[in-house]
Amino acid sequence: MRKKLFAVAMAATMAISMAACGGSNADTSAESTGAATGDSYKVGICQLVQHPALDAATEGFKEALTEELGDAVTYDEQNAQGEPNTCSTIINGFVSDGVDLIMANATPALQAAQAGTNEIPILGTSVTEYGVALGIENFDGLVGTNISGTSDLAPLDEQAAMLNELFPDKKKVGLLYCSAEANSQYQVDTVNAALTDLGYTCTYYTFTDSNDISSVVTKAVSECEVIYVPTDNAAASNTELINNICLDAKVPVVAGEEGICAGCGVATLSISYHDLGVATGKMAAKILKGEAKVEEMPIEYAPQFTKKYNKTNCEALGITIPEGYEAIEE
């Protein structure tokens, strides 16, 4: 919704302006340039859950957008505490409030935003594969509606190659993930294919939420020599539990992103979620300033991936990391 503030206005002009705002959706449609030509903007941020990766993406987003628009932008930042249904409630509130743009942090938040509005510009971040998340077959990188954003997809074949580099003699790999997260399924399917080609035997271990994760991880470490955890929000919220079980069983975890690796892994090939958020914020600024149309903006991907390792866990498990890895800051 357009929120241009007038310092001085006659009553008749104000009435006309209010009628224009209430009588048309043109300013927020997917065919428009976004919210865009006013002096102030309200951005709704829906973050699925609090953990380091998503927190960093949100902070990067706000930093970049505030740098571009200064005090002209305000944020309604809400956290769903890991509940997808709460994402829907948050998004519906943003729509009712007429925010100028929605930032959806993580796949369930993006899916809720997609269901909640086809008019307000939506930017996703920390979303792995938009085609999977949005149900788009043969996705070519452009959603083409009121949705765009940034992807945290790392090269999964290179993650598999990294696991092989570190553990060439361990052949049983457990793929641990939350079955409710579509992008996690996509990641483990891809890694499974790559590891199978490298001679590994992979087994899927799925949990539905934090209530059954302990029993699932316990079963996984009793049957496997290495655990792979993709970029998975439920896993990221339970790294301490995963770490306690895996370390006790002397089973290393290769993680899909740095936050999970810092909590329970030994190594990862990961991106900077802060930088991903910054890229999303720059996209938002272009939309709000009328410099770009959201429906014409392709999904952006992280430009750089870094091999990192968890020094504490590697020492505890007696794992020697080869050159070319960067220690995660503790």
Side-chain angles (χ1 to χ4, degrees):
M1 182 182 292
R2 194 170 172 177
K3 296 183 178 180
K4 188 170 182 179
L5 303 179
F6 292 89
V8 179
M10 296 178 66
T13 303
M14 290 175 63
I16 293 171
S17 175
M18 291 172 64
C21 288
S24 171
N25 287 326
D27 286 341
T28 55
S29 71
E31 297 300 319
S32 75
T33 56
T37 57
D39 294 327
S40 69
Y41 312 94
K42 187 173 184 179
V43 174
I45 298 174
C46 178
Q47 181 173 318
L48 173 64
V49 68
Q50 184 175 7
H51 66 67
L54 300 191
D55 294 347
T58 292
E59 288 307 309
F61 173 81
K62 291 165 61 179
E63 286 175 16
L65 188 51
T66 300
E67 182 176 348
E68 291 281 347
L69 298 176
D71 294 338
V73 60
T74 58
Y75 303 98
D76 183 352
E77 183 178 347
Q78 299 192 41
N79 193 299
Q81 304 300 323
E83 296 294 335
N85 290 337
T86 304
C87 288
S88 298
T89 302
I90 292 170
I91 295 297
N92 290 337
F94 291 161
V95 174
S96 296
D97 289 345
V99 299
D100 297 307
L101 183 140
I102 294 171
M103 193 277 265
N105 193 346
T107 298
L110 179 68
Q111 292 169 330
Q114 179 191 35
T117 178
N118 60 5
E119 297 181 343
I120 299 172
I122 299 166
L123 291 177
T125 194
S126 312
V127 176
T128 303
E129 219 293 321
Y130 280 74
V132 173
L134 302 176
I136 304 172
E137 294 185 5
N138 301 316
F139 182 61
D140 62 0
L142 179 68
V143 178
T145 64
N146 64 317
I147 298 173
S148 187
T150 58
S151 168
D152 62 1
L153 180 63
L156 298 172
D157 57 339
E158 293 184 28
Q159 288 189 351
M162 184 184 69
L163 187 151
N164 183 53
E165 176 185 36
L166 295 173
F167 307 109
D169 298 325
K170 297 181 184 294
K171 295 304 181 183
K172 295 181 180 179
V173 179
L175 306 174
L176 177 69
Y177 65 103
C178 178
S179 58
E181 297 194 28
N183 276 315
S184 294
Q185 184 72 58
Y186 170 82
Q187 290 174 81
V188 296
D189 285 345
T190 305
V191 168
N192 177 37
L195 288 175
T196 300
D197 288 343
L198 291 169
Y200 291 87
T201 298
C202 299
T203 304
Y204 289 70
Y205 296 91
T206 62
F207 56 91
T208 56
D209 54 37
S210 59
N211 294 322
D212 62 344
I213 190 170
S214 178
S215 61
V216 173
V217 177
T218 299
K219 179 176 174 60
V221 297
S222 71
E223 299 174 346
C224 299
E225 299 169 286
V226 184
I227 301 296
Y228 172 78
V229 180
T231 302
D232 184 288
N233 293 296
S237 298
N238 290 276
T239 56
E240 183 176 1
L241 174 59
I242 296 171
N243 192 54
N244 290 339
I245 297 171
C246 291
L247 276 185
D248 185 63
K250 304 296 184 183
V251 175
V253 174
V254 173
E257 60 94 5
E258 182 176 339
I260 296 175
C261 187
C264 65
V266 295
T268 183
L269 177 66
S270 189
I271 65 170
S272 165
Y273 277 81
H274 178 270
D275 291 349
L276 198 69
V278 167
T280 315
K282 291 180 179 179
M283 294 175 74
K286 290 179 181 179
I287 293 168
L288 293 172
K289 292 193 294 184
E291 297 174 356
K293 297 181 179 182
V294 63
E295 67 272 18
E296 296 177 357
M297 302 177 80
I299 302 303
E300 295 188 13
Y301 295 83
Q304 182 176 340
F305 304 91
T306 305
K307 287 182 176 180
K308 293 192 174 185
Y309 72 99
N310 181 325
K311 183 179 179 180
T312 299
N313 279 3
C314 286
E315 290 178 349
L317 294 172
I319 296 171
T320 300
I321 296 295
E323 294 183 2
Y325 287 72
E326 178 182 317
I328 295 173
E329 294 183 8
E330 298 182 1

